[in-house]
Amino acid sequence: MDVELNLTLVTFGGFAELHKYRYLYFVVISTLYILILCFNSTIVFLIWTHKNLHEPMYIFIAALLINSVLYSMIIYPKLLSDVLSEKQTISYPLCLFQGFLYYTSGGSEFLLLAAMAYDRYVSICKPLQYPVIMNRITIYVCLILAWLIPAFETSVLGVLYSNVKLCSFTLTGIFCNNSLYKLQCVPSVAISIYGMVTLINIALLPLLFILFTYIRIIRISYHCCREVRKKAVKTCLPHLLVLINFSCFIFLDIIIVRLDSDLSKTIRLTLTFQSILFHPLLNPIIYGLKMNEIFKHIKILLSNKTNQEAGHAEGSGGNRAGPEVSCDASGGNELSQEAGHDTSDGNKLSQEAGLDGHDAQLETRKAAGRGEAEQDELELMTVWHPQDQTRQDQTLKLDQAKARL
């Protein structure tokens, strides 16, 4: 059982004085991990929610930042648990899986940068054909290939490593990378050759393609107007910075393994931290500061948060001033009550005067009623008097006619 357990466990021996600086390591690594998740997720969220950023260039940036998050998730959780553990161990199959994910994300980074360089080349050198060439199908194909090609090639490498015989079980690093070849009893020629082919396919060829496209962009923009040159610099400079940054970290990863015996543990650990800690953190900073549209949305987001915090502060200040205002209001209510007692006496006097006025109004209404009645009688008399007169005249005429007969 002990032999089988030793054959399946690998120990990380790259930490320098871990027992002394354990909590310092944990605070630094956890802080940087949180910053990486927050910075990358914020820019991805801005690109996702704003329709004016739904362009090929920003879609590739979002994919690159998602790849940085995956890159950090491959290393950081295990690294944090190892810092707090007494033994920094991992099973050999899980170590192969971690190395597979690590180099898959690294190869995807190069291929995504190559896709971004091609997008900039078409945008600047063939602007009229840009909507036709960089359509949705082209974007989806580039994204799928950027993740599938490295995954396929590194999976073959993982299968080759799983069949080798191990004679050592201690890695000189703090995570599983290409230092795994030092665990073999006899170095495998097939693994070495295939590893070189994989490195050329997922790193060197994309790098040469990126250099070719940017040389073409520089040549064409040099013969164009000043505005085209400014556009080329604004859009290409962030990609070049990220490319140089990532290439340096990959170069460090290779150098650390090759010069393992010539470096002290402290220097090796410092270089490893630089490659795994600062690279995922620099990508969102570069794109957030150098890309004008993204930087504009970041400022709007920060200003909205500042306004909300100021609104909450003003609301809490108003609530504190509320009791003082209520006290003043209660004092005003007491004064109004005292004034109300004084006005009540005046109201009583006005009510008594109102009663006398009411009696006078009743008498005038009665007099008016009598006058209206007399007027109605006169109207009736004027209405019926002509009829009565005509009837009398008719009777007189009849009497005179009878007398003549």
Side-chain angles (χ1 to χ4, degrees), residues 25-169:
Y25 285 149
F26 182 81
V27 170
V28 172
I29 295 171
S30 60
T31 302
L32 291 174
Y33 184 44
I34 293 171
L35 291 177
I36 288 169
L37 295 179
C38 292
F39 287 0
N40 287 278
S41 301
T42 300
I43 296 182
V44 172
F45 173 76
L46 291 175
I47 294 173
W48 179 269
T49 55
H50 293 85
K51 292 184 178 180
N52 63 330
L53 299 180
H54 292 178
E55 297 179 2
M57 177 176 63
Y58 299 109
I59 293 173
F60 287 131
I61 290 174
L64 193 70
L65 298 181
I66 291 172
N67 193 68
S68 297
V69 173
L70 296 175
Y71 175 87
S72 61
M73 292 176 67
I74 294 166
I75 299 173
Y76 280 75
K78 175 58 178 166
L79 193 60
L80 290 172
S81 64
D82 287 338
V83 167
L84 296 179
S85 301
E86 292 297 329
K87 293 182 179 181
Q88 294 75 42
T89 59
I90 187 173
S91 65
Y92 185 67
L94 286 179
C95 187
L96 290 177
F97 184 66
Q98 187 183 43
F100 160 75
L101 294 177
Y102 174 72
Y103 287 108
T104 298
S105 63
S108 299
E109 187 105 359
F110 274 114
L111 292 177
L112 288 172
L113 289 171
M116 294 168 71
Y118 179 70
D119 173 72
R120 293 299 86 207
Y121 168 75
V122 177
S123 175
I124 296 171
C125 302
K126 299 179 181 180
L128 298 179
Q129 302 176 12
Y130 181 78
V132 178
I133 297 174
M134 296 305 298
N135 51 29
R136 289 187 176 273
I137 297 175
T138 305
I139 295 170
Y140 293 151
V141 169
C142 290
L143 292 176
I144 292 171
L145 291 179
W147 275 301
L148 284 184
I149 292 175
F152 174 76
E153 295 194 357
T154 53
S155 63
V156 175
L157 195 61
V159 172
L160 292 175
Y161 266 109
S162 63
N163 294 323
V164 299
K165 184 178 180 181
L166 303 180
C167 292
S168 176
F169 304 96

Side-chain angles (χ1 to χ4, degrees), residues 13 51 82 99 102 114 156 177 199 202 205 223 235 260 267 282 284 299 340 349 355 364 388:
K51 292 184 178 180
D82 287 338
Y102 174 72
V156 175
N177 54 4
L199 181 64
I202 65 176
L205 290 180
H223 297 286
T235 56
D260 188 23
I267 296 175
L282 289 177
K299 288 196 298 184
L349 294 174
L355 292 174
T364 54
D388 294 341

Side-chain angles (χ1 to χ4, degrees), residues 359-379:
D359 295 336
Q361 289 178 359
L362 289 175
E363 291 178 358
T364 54
R365 287 178 182 176
K366 289 179 181 179
R370 288 194 296 269
E372 291 175 357
E374 292 176 354
Q375 187 175 1
D376 293 337
E377 290 177 358
L378 291 173
E379 290 177 355

Side-chain angles (χ1 to χ4, degrees), residues 280-335:
L281 188 61
L282 289 177
N283 282 356
I285 294 174
I286 291 172
Y287 286 119
L289 295 178
K290 293 297 182 180
M291 303 300 291
N292 292 332
E293 291 295 326
I294 297 177
F295 184 65
K296 188 187 301 181
H297 288 295
I298 290 174
K299 288 196 298 184
I300 293 172
L301 182 64
L302 293 177
S303 63
N304 290 335
K305 288 184 178 180
T306 304
N307 293 332
Q308 290 177 358
E309 291 176 357
H312 288 304
E314 290 177 359
S316 63
N319 292 330
R320 291 176 182 176
E324 297 176 359
V325 174
S326 62
C327 292
D328 296 335
S330 62
N333 291 331
E334 292 176 357
L335 293 174

Side-chain angles (χ1 to χ4, degrees), residues 221-388:
S221 60
Y222 178 75
H223 297 286
C224 295
C225 61
R226 185 177 179 182
E227 293 182 357
V228 175
R229 289 196 296 268
K230 288 177 65 177
K231 178 184 177 182
V233 171
K234 285 183 180 179
T235 56
C236 296
L237 182 60
H239 308 320
L240 285 175
L241 291 176
V242 171
L243 176 64
I244 294 170
N245 177 29
F246 185 68
S247 300
C248 291
F249 290 141
I250 292 297
F251 181 74
L252 279 176
D253 182 71
I254 297 173
I255 291 298
I256 291 169
V257 175
R258 298 304 174 185
L259 300 179
D260 188 23
S261 60
D262 299 330
L263 297 175
S264 65
K265 184 179 288 188
T266 303
I267 296 175
R268 187 172 60 245
L269 181 63
T270 304
L271 294 176
T272 304
F273 274 158
Q274 287 182 357
S275 63
I276 66 172
L277 296 179
F278 298 109
H279 161 64
L281 188 61
L282 289 177
N283 282 356
I285 294 174
I286 291 172
Y287 286 119
L289 295 178
K290 293 297 182 180
M291 303 300 291
N292 292 332
E293 291 295 326
I294 297 177
F295 184 65
K296 188 187 301 181
H297 288 295
I298 290 174
K299 288 196 298 184
I300 293 172
L301 182 64
L302 293 177
S303 63
N304 290 335
K305 288 184 178 180
T306 304
N307 293 332
Q308 290 177 358
E309 291 176 357
H312 288 304
E314 290 177 359
S316 63
N319 292 330
R320 291 176 182 176
E324 297 176 359
V325 174
S326 62
C327 292
D328 296 335
S330 62
N333 291 331
E334 292 176 357
L335 293 174
S336 62
Q337 288 176 358
E338 293 177 358
H341 289 298
D342 296 334
T343 54
S344 61
D345 297 334
N347 291 331
K348 290 179 181 179
L349 294 174
S350 62
Q351 288 175 0
E352 292 176 357
L355 292 174
D356 297 336
H358 183 66
D359 295 336
Q361 289 178 359
L362 289 175
E363 291 178 358
T364 54
R365 287 178 182 176
K366 289 179 181 179
R370 288 194 296 269
E372 291 175 357
E374 292 176 354
Q375 187 175 1
D376 293 337
E377 290 177 358
L378 291 173
E379 290 177 355
L380 289 173
M381 291 175 66
T382 55
V383 171
W384 290 102
H385 179 70
Q387 293 178 355
D388 294 341

